[in-house]
Amino acid sequence: MIEVKNDDVREVAPWPQRTGGVSFWGTVVTMFNVFVGGGSVVLPYAFCLSGWLFIPVLLAVGLLMGFTLWIMGFLLDSLDSRADEMGVPRSQRDWGFIGYIAFGKAGRFLFAGCMFFDLAGGALVLMSIVIEQLPFLLPIRHSATAVLSCILAILFCLLPKKAFSWMAVVGMASQLFLVLGLVITGVQLHTLDETATDQVVLDLSGLPRGFGIALLCFLAHSEAPLIYQLMEDRRQWTKVVVYSMTLTEAFLLSFGILGYGFFGSSVAVHCGQYWPRFRLAPFAKCFECILGGRNYLWPLVEAACNPSPAAGCDH
């Protein structure tokens, strides 16, 4: 940019992309929380379907998704001046806007439609998981759980966008809680010498379904444009992608490897087949339902439940 004043010509630095939005680390936490949502709890089952060689598949999918997120940020940054000329607010500089610039109105409809179905489908999947799991924690019926979950979901939509990073912190705490429960259960299994030994290196028949689960774990592209636009300094988007993807890959691999290593093919079995309907030790019960394997958090729980042997993966 060139500024002319009193016959002097001097260079002026470009206007910085700081907007008083979400900080760098707040954005990293938000992206990490989006990645390791409900999809992470089914990763042990993906290992069960595919075997240990699912590890490079998960790494490859993560690298591909991270690269496409970087491209998204590059495109939105390149279109900033065009969006300013058109008067497009930041909240609407998303995939629909990219589609409009590339292909006109048809492109906007196509891109925005795909993102809508992605978000709607993800919301339904996560809502169904919540409705299914809450009765194991709270003494309420499924119908009441469904109503309560819908009300909470609507209330969360009313929160200001800048609260996303705080909600992400809660989500991260929940994920760490799950990992802690997994480690405690695995230690108990090892103590009782009942750690699974039926793991396989590779099962080609289950690899396509495992690949689908890997894609599920990295579907954050619908939310990414809004997270990008809310950043305080959007020039740091590349670092955000690198940091968040590294943390995500580390967490997902740890969760999947520990789950499959401890439970083996038992992760495919739903605890409803073995657990009676009682409210003892809700944490152990909820964790048992998520993993689908036997749980030994407390001897009292096993003595009361006496679960049957697991049936194994359905390939």
Side-chain angles (χ1 to χ4, degrees), residues 223-242:
E223 302 93 326
L226 179 59
I227 296 173
Y228 168 83
Q229 299 297 352
L230 290 174
M231 286 185 66
E232 180 183 27
D233 187 357
R234 287 178 290 277
R235 293 172 299 182
Q236 293 185 312
W237 177 249
T238 299
K239 290 178 61 178
V240 166
V241 172
V242 173

Side-chain angles (χ1 to χ4, degrees), residues 6-259:
N6 296 330
D7 298 327
D8 293 331
V9 179
R10 57 189 179 91
E11 291 188 358
V12 178
W15 187 264
Q17 296 186 8
R18 294 185 179 273
T19 61
V22 182
S23 66
F24 169 79
W25 285 111
T27 307
V28 170
V29 171
T30 301
M31 288 295 297
F32 175 74
N33 185 62
V34 171
F35 280 127
V36 298
S40 62
V41 297
V42 296
L43 261 185
Y45 180 61
F47 276 87
C48 179
L49 291 172
S50 309
W52 286 119
L53 287 183
F54 179 71
I55 293 176
V57 174
L58 187 65
L59 288 172
V61 172
L63 288 174
L64 176 62
M65 294 301 181
F67 178 67
T68 55
L69 284 173
W70 174 81
I71 290 178
M72 181 215 72
F74 174 79
L75 290 174
L76 291 175
D77 179 64
S78 302
L79 295 174
D80 258 353
S81 58
R82 181 76 176 273
D84 290 337
E85 293 174 1
M86 298 171 61
V88 179
R90 290 230 162 254
S91 60
Q92 297 180 17
R93 301 181 189 185
D94 51 14
W95 288 108
F97 179 67
I98 294 176
Y100 176 77
I101 296 298
F103 305 107
K105 293 182 178 179
R108 181 198 294 274
F109 179 80
L110 178 62
F111 279 49
C114 290
M115 293 303 103
F116 171 78
F117 284 112
D118 178 50
L119 287 171
L124 289 174
V125 169
L126 294 177
M127 187 69 69
S128 65
I129 294 175
V130 171
I131 293 173
E132 180 66 25
Q133 299 299 330
L134 270 184
F136 291 100
L137 289 173
L138 303 175
I140 55 179
R141 298 177 180 272
H142 274 83
S143 57
T145 303
V147 174
L148 177 62
S149 300
C150 292
I151 293 174
L152 289 176
I154 294 174
L155 292 178
F156 280 132
C157 291
L158 300 178
L159 290 174
K161 295 182 178 64
K162 291 184 179 181
F164 286 176
S165 57
W166 291 103
M167 295 172 63
V169 171
V170 176
M172 282 186 60
S174 302
Q175 297 292 336
L176 293 176
F177 184 74
L178 280 177
V179 173
L180 177 62
L182 174 59
V183 172
I184 293 174
T185 305
V187 170
Q188 291 290 338
L189 280 170
H190 181 73
T191 302
L192 297 172
D193 196 24
E194 296 193 22
T195 305
T197 58
D198 57 351
Q199 297 89 349
V200 298
V201 176
L202 177 64
D203 188 334
L204 289 175
S205 63
L207 193 59
R209 283 185 288 173
F211 180 76
I213 294 175
L215 290 176
L216 174 66
C217 293
F218 291 101
L219 290 181
H221 292 65
S222 300
E223 302 93 326
L226 179 59
I227 296 173
Y228 168 83
Q229 299 297 352
L230 290 174
M231 286 185 66
E232 180 183 27
D233 187 357
R234 287 178 290 277
R235 293 172 299 182
Q236 293 185 312
W237 177 249
T238 299
K239 290 178 61 178
V240 166
V241 172
V242 173
Y243 280 50
S244 61
M245 291 301 301
T246 301
L247 290 173
T248 299
E249 289 276 22
F251 178 88
L252 293 178
L253 283 173
S254 300
F255 197 89
I257 290 173
L258 288 174

